[in-house]
Amino acid sequence: MLSERRLEVLRAIVQDYVGTEEPVGSKALTERHRLGVSPATVRNDMAALEEEGFIAQPHTSAGRIPTDKGYRLFVDRLAGVKPLSTPERRAIQSFLDSAVDLDDVVSRTVRLLAQLTRQVAVVQYPSLTRSTVRHVELLLLSPTRVMLVVITDTGRVEQRMVDCPAPVGEIALADLRARLNSRVVGHRFTDVPQLVQDLHESFEQGDRGTVSTVVATLLETLVEETEERLMIGGTANLTRFGHDFPLVIRPVLEALEEQVVLLKLLGEAKDSAVTVRIGHENAHEGLNSTSVVAVGYGSGDEAVGKLGVVGPTRMDYPGTMGAVRAVARYVGQILAES
Amino acid sequence: MLSERRLEVLRAIVQDYVGTEEPVGSKALTERHRLGVSPATVRNDMAALEEEGFIAQPHTSAGRIPTDKGYRLFVDRLAGVKPLSTPERRAIQSFLDSAVDLDDVVSRTVRLLAQLTRQVAVVQYPSLTRSTVRHVELLLLSPTRVMLVVITDTGRVEQRMVDCPAPVGEIALADLRARLNSRVVGHRFTDVPQLVQDLHESFEQGDRGTVSTVVATLLETLVEETEERLMIGGTANLTRFGHDFPLVIRPVLEALEEQVVLLKLLGEAKDSAVTVRIGHENAHEGLNSTSVVAVGYGSGDEAVGKLGVVGPTRMDYPGTMGAVRAVARYVGQILAES
DNA sequence: CCCTGGCACTCCATGGTCACGAGTGCCAGA
DNA sequence: TCTGGCACTCGTGACCATGGAGTGCCAGGG
């Protein structure tokens, strides 16, 4: 067990190192923090902390640097989440309020997060897996060409062209439209497949091909729509990684271009609380020297998406967590309103 | 006027420097290239080339490095466009052929360009300024809520919700739909505003508010749709910038995040021929140590969009130009087919 | 007139030495 | 259990010497 003071020393080390980006020694520590003990005592504490693996020295006779484990302890037990100032909150709100559509909300959120945290921001588009169908529309563009439009309860609209195997008339189409709607309206995307499974059976032989094609396209559209997309920004902040950054930055950039990796990363975050993954806690190798701070956002109690930032393990955790949490809240509000 | 041999020397310098990334001296040049003259002669030529501003030396008694002006001459007069190999072409084609929709085409193109050139790729979405309206659909979702759907001749579909100032009936809506279509179908986006200008006048007083709202939303949609968007990729290749890259990379990353800057950059490219902007020829300051190779792509003779790459001025121009040109061609083909 | 070999000069890069200072570990004493 | 003191370790930066690559210039030859 670590004594109270040793934890205090660890906290001081983390804070100083985050600020100066340089290994911190016992003397400097006692000068910058009111620990009430001498450097020699701090040295003993440091030795103990190193023994436990919370800090390390780059080389003998250099100051100490927090390890991933040290940051973990710091985040879990020593640091709170630093709330944003009132002006900051106001700025966030007004910036997000002026968004005109979903794309705009997401892109503004990314820029906001990047600017607030001075790190790389990642925002997942709101997931539609829980969306329901509000209306399905079919338009006859030519005898064998139908446009399929799906409207969701979130106000999102998707459309697709359908080439029919045989000419189709307005009347048959109206019939299909009506039956389709009566079956799927109000239901979740995920339930649609079984709801329309045997729809073609209730049609005449001649129209079955068309019905099947339309239904298939509808299912395709819904599946594709629930695919998760995301937006990133603030990559210029990667230059803040530190001196050795040429080596670090490449795998990070590569990881950032792999949407799959990022989605997995965000997916690991809990919905409700800010989740922090530090250094090697990240499964992806290229991100071993970065930390990911993420949280879910949503209009109600359920998260409809996640957002977060990627930065050096040496980051201001309380501030970053505060910013991420605040942005997630406001995004949730905005989405609930629209 | 520069003699033939001096141009040959410049070409050799550019080629060597691009390959080695180190200042090239007279002796090394004569060894690696069959110039048929001695180092001393080359030195004289170099002095002349330096006098004219085509090359420079980082410090006295170091080798020479091409200047922006030197690269310019190289691109204009000394280097051809290196065509891709047949396997490369085949790979491009099959990779692009498997794209399923427009977004996919663009994203595949970006990845392709980045991989082929090993540089940062930028692809502009096909512009819709020349598109025409194929069909306008209005759907009554609730008494005061109408969905507006616009279908373009390129198969693209856009939709928007309209909140009407007063309840509207199916009949009035059908009327509006018919008149709207008869006016705008087949016309270009840019012509639509004046075509629908006085449309509301032919409606009864009670419906005019709705008509105006719908028309306004239609115009909004078309304007927004013609807004230019783009996609970038391969930012990990920024690490190939060279030793001094920490200083160079930040402004480049910043510029890449500014869509406006990039659009302007691409906009400066000619439609039909591969355009190269070298170093300080780029208006944007952050890109003063980069070169931009861009070209328009299109399904017919007209360009519907542009694409290109951003890389260090020290780049393989013939190869890059070849790749950019080839990709643009195939993208044009793909778009023409769909 | 142009090319060539020779020569002196410049300057960067490399590597070695050295002193300094920050930081540590340990120990004896309060 | 804390503290002050002390010896020790190492990385850093300054300084210097050396080597080598490259240049500019000049005189001589085709």
Side-chain angles (χ1 to χ4, degrees), chain A residues 154-166:
Chain A
T154 56
R156 189 127 168 187
V157 186
E158 286 302 318
Q159 72 293 312
R160 201 62 58 96
M161 288 300 167
V162 185
D163 283 310
C164 304

Side-chain angles (χ1 to χ4, degrees), chain A residues 72-139:
Chain A
R72 167 55 55 204
L73 184 62
F74 176 81
V75 169
D76 287 347
R77 299 192 37 199
L78 303 177
V81 175
K82 187 168 137 213
L84 298 190
S85 66
T86 314
E88 279 176 317
R89 291 174 175 280
R90 249 201 290 276
I92 294 178
Q93 190 149 28
S94 78
F95 185 66
L96 290 184
D97 266 339
S98 30
V100 299
D101 62 14
L102 184 64
D103 271 326
D104 201 24
V105 170
V106 175
S107 101
R108 277 168 182 267
T109 306
V110 164
R111 274 178 284 163
L112 197 57
L113 254 187
Q115 219 180 325
L116 281 172
T117 62
R118 308 204 57 178
Q119 273 150 191
V120 180
V122 184
V123 178
Q124 185 184 351
Y125 275 75
S127 155
L128 298 185
T129 40
R130 302 186 182 285
S131 297
T132 59
V133 177
R134 180 190 282 172
H135 184 74
V136 176
E137 182 60 36
L138 298 173
L139 301 173

Side-chain angles (χ1 to χ4, degrees), chain A:
Chain A
M1 229 8 247
L2 290 169
S3 77
E4 200 54 40
R5 196 191 55 227
R6 290 197 175 154
L7 292 177
E8 196 56 42
V9 169
L10 177 58
R11 169 191 282 141
I13 291 174
V14 170
Q15 285 173 353
D16 274 24
Y17 183 63
V18 166
T20 64
E21 200 168 334
E22 268 168 19
V24 17
S26 55
K27 196 176 159 213
L29 255 201
T30 54
E31 280 164 5
R32 299 171 45 111
H33 301 265
R34 309 270 162 144
L35 294 171
V37 292
S38 76
T41 310
V42 172
R43 280 205 288 281
N44 287 330
D45 293 344
M46 281 175 153
L49 285 168
E50 184 163 14
E51 180 75 17
E52 304 267 354
F54 294 113
I55 56 179
Q57 28 189 357
H59 14 257
T60 324
S61 104
R64 303 310 215 290
I65 286 179
T67 60
D68 289 355
K69 191 178 169 192
Y71 285 124
R72 167 55 55 204
L73 184 62
F74 176 81
V75 169
D76 287 347
R77 299 192 37 199
L78 303 177
V81 175
K82 187 168 137 213
L84 298 190
S85 66
T86 314
E88 279 176 317
R89 291 174 175 280
R90 249 201 290 276
I92 294 178
Q93 190 149 28
S94 78
F95 185 66
L96 290 184
D97 266 339
S98 30
V100 299
D101 62 14
L102 184 64
D103 271 326
D104 201 24
V105 170
V106 175
S107 101
R108 277 168 182 267
T109 306
V110 164
R111 274 178 284 163
L112 197 57
L113 254 187
Q115 219 180 325
L116 281 172
T117 62
R118 308 204 57 178
Q119 273 150 191
V120 180
V122 184
V123 178
Q124 185 184 351
Y125 275 75
S127 155
L128 298 185
T129 40
R130 302 186 182 285
S131 297
T132 59
V133 177
R134 180 190 282 172
H135 184 74
V136 176
E137 182 60 36
L138 298 173
L139 301 173
L140 198 60
L141 299 181
S142 81
T144 63
R145 227 173 142 79
V146 170
M147 189 175 84
L148 168 73
V149 182
V150 184
I151 312 172
T152 77
D153 62 341
T154 56
R156 189 127 168 187
V157 186
E158 286 302 318
Q159 72 293 312
R160 201 62 58 96
M161 288 300 167
V162 185
D163 283 310
C164 304
V168 51
E170 279 285 6
I171 300 163
L173 199 65
D175 188 26
L176 174 56
R177 178 192 303 129
R179 293 207 219 173
L180 207 48
N181 273 296
S182 76
R183 289 212 185 186
V184 303
V185 166
H187 290 96
R188 288 192 173 178
F189 283 16
T190 43
D191 299 334
V192 170
Q194 66 183 75
L195 291 172
V196 297
Q197 201 178 353
D198 54 353
L199 187 66
H200 66 280
E201 288 171 14
S202 58
F203 282 81
E204 281 174 27
Q205 197 64 44
D207 288 329
R208 286 195 182 175
T210 296
V211 172
S212 299
T213 312
V214 169
V215 165
T217 308
L218 171 63
L219 296 182
E220 228 174 68
T221 308
L222 296 184
V223 166
E224 204 166 291
E225 207 28 48
T226 54
E227 246 178 26
E228 287 161 332
R229 296 188 306 147
L230 44 78
M231 188 177 276
I232 74 173
T235 47
N237 292 323
L238 284 176
T239 53
R240 294 163 43 77
F241 249 79
H243 12 65
D244 53 310
F245 94 133
L247 293 165
V248 173
I249 208 175
R250 164 170 271 265
V252 176
L253 275 172
E254 277 165 0
L256 288 177
E257 291 214 345
E258 291 285 342
Q259 306 244 330
V260 190
V261 171
L262 286 179
L263 285 170
K264 218 167 124 197
L265 217 60
L266 290 180
E268 285 167 356
K270 285 195 292 273
D271 278 0
S272 51
V274 177
T275 305
V276 181
R277 307 226 125 212
I278 299 166
H280 292 79
E281 295 170 10
N282 289 305
H284 189 77
E285 208 177 324
L287 298 174
N288 276 179
S289 51
T290 68
S291 285
V292 179
V293 178
V295 70
Y297 65 86
S299 32
D301 42 355
E302 250 177 344
V304 297
K306 309 234 171 117
L307 57 79
V309 303
V310 179
T313 51
R314 171 193 52 70
M315 71 161 68
D316 168 21
Y317 289 96
T320 304
M321 291 166 78
V324 168
R325 190 178 65 181
V327 170
R329 276 193 196 148
Y330 284 109
V331 173
Q333 278 182 25
I334 298 283
L335 290 179
E337 285 165 18
S338 59

